[in-house]
Every structure is written in C-alpha cells, then in structure tokens.
C-alpha cells in the first residue's frame, strides 16, 4: 500500500473521514441497488448440487499440506425467533435437543478429519448460530473436548462465540472461559427498549451490561464485539444516538453496524417487520450516519464496510497494512486459511471449492448417520473465479488494489484483462468515489459507502435478478 493510503487509515485521519451524512442525497439515489455483501466469491446463489464431489474431497485432502485452518460451527437453535433475523435456525424450547446435535457434529468432524488428517492446527474457531449458548453447559463442554481430540488448538489461537445476553448467566460464561474461548460477540442490535421490544427480542441494556461487567471481571478487556443494526422499525436518529451512547459507555473493542436486510420473500417471518413500518431511505441514512459519527468521535476507527474497532485492535493494524481479509465469518486477519465448517447449513471454503451442508436437520442427521459428509451444494472455482475473488476481497476489505502487482502475480495486464469493468467504473470515478491509475484502483473515503457497487462490477455472475440481496443503502 502507498503511504497515502496508510495515512488515510491513521487514527487522526479516521476521525475526519466523511460519514454517511456527508453523502449527497442524489448520490444515494443514483447508486441505490441490491448487491451481495461478498463474504465469498462466487456468492452462494452459484452453489449447486451437481458440483464435483470428488474434486471437493481432493481439495480437503490437499489442505493437509498447508499450515493451519479456521473452523466454523453452526448451532442452529433459538428459543424464540426475533423478527429481524436472517439466520438459518430452528425454534426449540427444549435445550436437550442439542445433545444429539453435538454428537452428530463430532461425527461430522470425524468424517472431515478422515480427509484433512487429524490434529490440524486451528488458528480461528468460531461458533455462530442461531444461539451457540443454547447448548447446555455439559453439551458445550463435550463439543469442545471432542474437537480437541480431532484438532489442535494453539494457545495463541482465536476462539470466538456469539452470545445471546438474555439466556446466559455468569456460570455459563465462566464455563466458556474455562474451555478456552477468548473472544465474545454479543448480538445487541439496539439498546432502545421500545425499538427492540417491537422485534420480539425483550432485551434491556441491563442484560448487556451484566454480561460485559462479568467478562471484564474475568479479564476479557480487548476481545468483545457488539453487533448493532440500523434500519429497524421505530429507530430514528435520536433513538440511535441514545443507544450508541450506551454502547460507547460499555466500550466494546469492536462494533459491527449492519444495515437491516429486509427480504421477506426469502425470510417470511420478516413480513412482521414490514407491518411495523420501516424507515425510508433518507431516515435510514440518518440513523446510520448518526451512529457512524458518534463512534468516530469516541475514538473508534471505521473498518471495512460496516465495522469499527479500537486503534489497538488487530483488524485495524491489518487494514493499515492492506492485508485485511473477508470470509464467511466477516472481517478477519487470517487471509489464506482454509475454512472448514461443521453443522447444519454451514459453508466451508477449502482450496478451490465451497461446500454447503444440508439445511434441514432431518436430512443432516440422516446423512451423518449413514457415515456420509452432509454436503448438499458446492462450487468448484475456475481460474477466472479465483482472480476475481482476489480483486473483490482486496477492494472490499482494504479499499485499494495494486493492479500492477496484481497483474504480475496473476500473469496478466490488468487494464486489458478488465477493460469492460474499468469502463463500467467510470461513473464512480466521475463522482469522485474512486480513482483508477496505471498502478492501482483506490477507493476514496466517500466511495467506501459504495464498495458493494464497486465490487459488483467484477462479479461476472451477477445478473439483473438481485432480489435475494440486501439494499446497498
């Protein structure tokens, strides 16, 4: 990265970066569309059940030669569905159902390690859902101990878990710490009681504060993430300002500020959100911008498209050096790791292949019980896919692509190989959102709010039907 780009990411410069409030309304209108969030490329709609399973197995076996992996586990249970939720989950009141699920995930881990080899080093473990702390304490312990029998977890590795603050107590948190978890993500969404009650979440800031205080007492100081959401019914710039002030007072080390993705044609339960009344585009931008500017003023540095971090955080250091990465787990510093995934609906990215597990519990259970990997869909990347994936990752995560170095790495002349894409970026260049030189594509600070628009230009599969994706505004 050039010094110019590094300076743009300094804490001093970050405090002066434009916010969504600085974007002209006409520009929001011009670039408002639906686009992927690019946690993968190609994106999930390209996955299909006719993928080359032999090639997928070969890619898993080939990862034996690489140093380490990341590991994601999907826990698909919640006791109640929140109206905004876009996750793949099942509603259960009886937490003992997690017992058999753990048993099958460990069987799946055995099937996976038969390909990858036992004892693979896991630099990044993440449990998501659903609600991972839906598992009873004894089932969570059995799960982690079973993983330890099949993988190696180095002392300096990251072990993260998503927590529902309404359904966790201090003893459960202590158990997680004893099992080695060292990063905690709290699904807060909003701290305004009126907003959150509309969404059937029934959460108060007291729940959040209690969990934060206990984690701090136990020494978790710089490994705490809050997930927030803007664009929800009942939110205004004023209510968001109050929620953000409460978040800042608790001082998490990272904040994810997601725009609510309203897709009731994919998630039918979200029709209930629509009946409550959603903010219009202008109000949505005001809510987003209010949160953005307050986090900036509090000393947080914007990371990627929708995250913030303390200046001491490793995500910020990776962004400074242009090596921030993005995968199914979100923003990460672990670029190049194979991502193995276990559990219902989870997606793995190993070598040149993506594989997704069965989405229905009964099908998942039956496949595991037959001693087969529960892959239902997948995709084998072409050489062109891998080149475009690298472009999209660098732009999406780091807002900069050294096209000269990229061309040398991939044996191509960027301006020739991507002449149509460069031409389609011309309107964004004219609007001052990015610049293109013989050496690089650089996204300007204002252009960061339109990074999905930039990346979709390089997506050769993205047709006219983008309804399954969330809005860029």
């Amino acid at each position: 990265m050039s010094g110019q780009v590094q300076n743009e990411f300094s804490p001093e410069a970050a405090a002066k970066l434009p916010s969504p409030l600085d974007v002209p309304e006409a520009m929001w209108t011009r670039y408002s569309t639906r686009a992927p969030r690019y946690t993968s490329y190609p994106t999930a709609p390209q996955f299909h059940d006719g993928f080359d399973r032999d090639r997928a197995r070969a890619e898993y076996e080939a990862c034996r030669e690489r140093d380490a992996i990341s590991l994601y586990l999907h826990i698909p249970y919640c006791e109640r569905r929140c109206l905004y939720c876009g996750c793949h989950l099942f509603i259960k009141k009886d937490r003992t159902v997690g017992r058999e699920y753990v048993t099958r995930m460990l069987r799946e881990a055995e099937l996976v390690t038969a390909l990858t080899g036992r004892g693979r080093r896991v630099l990044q473990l993440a449990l998501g859902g659903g609600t991972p702390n839906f598992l009873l304490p004894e089932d969570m312990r059995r799960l982690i101990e079973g993983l330890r029998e099949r993988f190696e977890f180095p002392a300096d590795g990251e072990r993260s878990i998503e927590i529902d603050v309404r359904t966790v107590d201090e003893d459960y948190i202590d158990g997680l710490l004893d099992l080695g978890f060292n990063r905690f993500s709290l699904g807060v969404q909003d701290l305004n009681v009126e907003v959150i009650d509309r969404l059937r979440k029934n959460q108060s800031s007291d729940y959040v504060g209690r969990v934060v205080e206990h984690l701090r007492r136990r020494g978790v100081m710089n490994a705490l993430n809050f997930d927030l959401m803007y664009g929800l019914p009942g939110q205004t710039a004023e209510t968001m300002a109050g929620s953000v002030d409460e978040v800042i007072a608790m001082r998490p080390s990272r904040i994810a500020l997601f725009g609510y993705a309203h897709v009731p044609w994919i998630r039918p339960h979200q029709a209930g959100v629509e009946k409550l009344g959603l903010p219009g585009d202008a109000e949505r931008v005001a809510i987003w911008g209010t949160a953005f500017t307050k986090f900036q003023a509090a000393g947080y540095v914007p990371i990627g498209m929708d995250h913030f971090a303390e200046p001491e955080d490793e995500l910020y250091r990776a962004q400074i050096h242009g090596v921030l990465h993005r995968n199914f787990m979100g923003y990460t510093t672990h670029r190049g790791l194979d991502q193995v995934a276990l559990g219902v609906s989870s997606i793995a990215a190993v070598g040149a292949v993506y594989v997704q597990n069965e989405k229905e519990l009964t099908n998942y259970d039956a496949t595991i019980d037959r001693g087969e990997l529960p892959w239902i869909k997948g995709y084998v990347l072409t050489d062109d896919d891998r080149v475009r994936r690298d472009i999209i990752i660098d732009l999406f995560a780091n807002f900069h692509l050294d096209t000269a170095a990229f061309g040398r790495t991939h044996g191509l002349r960027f301006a020739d190989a991507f002449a149509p894409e460069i031409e389609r970026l011309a309107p964004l260049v004219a609007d001052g959102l990015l610049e293109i030189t013989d050496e690089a594509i650089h996204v300007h600070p204002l252009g960061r709010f339109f990074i999905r628009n930039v990346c979709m230009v390089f997506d050769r599969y993205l047709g006219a039907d983008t309804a399954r994706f969330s809005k860029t505004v």
Side-chain angles (χ1 to χ4, degrees), residues 49-88:
D49 58 9
F51 74 104
D52 188 340
R53 294 170 183 267
D54 289 337
R55 174 67 184 278
R57 291 187 180 89
E59 291 287 346
Y60 270 64
E61 290 172 344
C63 89
R64 292 171 181 250
E65 307 303 319
R66 295 186 281 273
D67 179 58
I69 63 171
S70 69
L71 180 61
Y72 173 74
L73 278 71
H74 190 71
I75 313 299
Y77 299 111
C78 284
E79 293 185 11
R80 188 178 186 185
R81 188 187 300 274
C82 302
L83 287 180
Y84 61 82
C85 183
C87 299
H88 186 78

Side-chain angles (χ1 to χ4, degrees), residues 421-443:
E421 288 80 4
I422 291 173
E423 184 177 349
R424 289 200 296 274
L425 289 173
L428 289 90
V429 174
D431 280 338
L433 301 180
L434 72 159
E435 64 179 305
I436 302 174
T437 68
D438 291 339
E439 300 294 319
I441 298 175
H442 179 63
V443 181

Side-chain angles (χ1 to χ4, degrees), residues 131-144:
T131 304
N133 59 283
F134 176 92
L135 295 181
L136 292 168
E138 57 268 29
D139 294 325
M140 179 66 73
R141 177 168 294 278
R142 185 164 61 93
L143 174 62
I144 300 306

Side-chain angles (χ1 to χ4, degrees), residues 265-285:
W265 49 92
I266 298 174
R267 305 291 183 189
H269 65 274
Q270 288 186 348
V273 176
E274 199 165 295
K275 294 175 183 177
L276 296 173
L278 288 163
D281 286 349
E283 183 67 11
R284 185 178 167 102
V285 170

